[in-house]
């Protein structure tokens, strides 16, 4: 079934878009603050993780979710 385009749906979508545009700067500022306060890393200053291309294959059928593969990759490749 196709949704009918009514005045109510149009006004609702316009209101949602305006709310998103109004809240965007506040959300960006909050995200930056939370990153500075809560996110800690052992990476050296200026480290860009996107500059490297690390590849690892995991058999998802045998994975138990322990995370040891990620730890081994970090230790093997000296990445944070």
């Amino acid at each position: 079934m196709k949704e009918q385009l009514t005045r109510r749906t149009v006004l609702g979508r316009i209101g949602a878009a305006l709310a998103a545009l109004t809240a965007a700067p506040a959300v960006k500022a909050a995200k930056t603050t939370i990153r500075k306060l809560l996110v800690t890393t052992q990476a050296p200053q200026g480290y860009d993780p996107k500059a490297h291309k690390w590849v690892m294959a995991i058999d998802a059928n045998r994975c138990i979710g322990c995370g040891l593969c990620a730890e081994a990759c970090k230790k093997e490749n000296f990445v944070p």
Side-chain angles (χ1 to χ4, degrees), residues 8-57:
R8 179 175 286 190
T9 58
V10 170
L11 290 175
R13 289 179 185 171
I14 290 172
L18 288 174
L21 287 173
T22 304
V27 169
K28 187 174 181 179
K31 186 177 178 181
T32 303
T33 303
I34 289 173
R35 264 197 190 147
K36 287 180 182 177
L37 293 176
L38 301 178
V39 178
T40 59
T41 181
Q42 298 171 355
Q45 188 71 15
Y47 174 75
D48 183 19
K50 295 176 185 171
H52 306 287
K53 296 185 192 266
W54 306 104
V55 179
M56 180 170 48

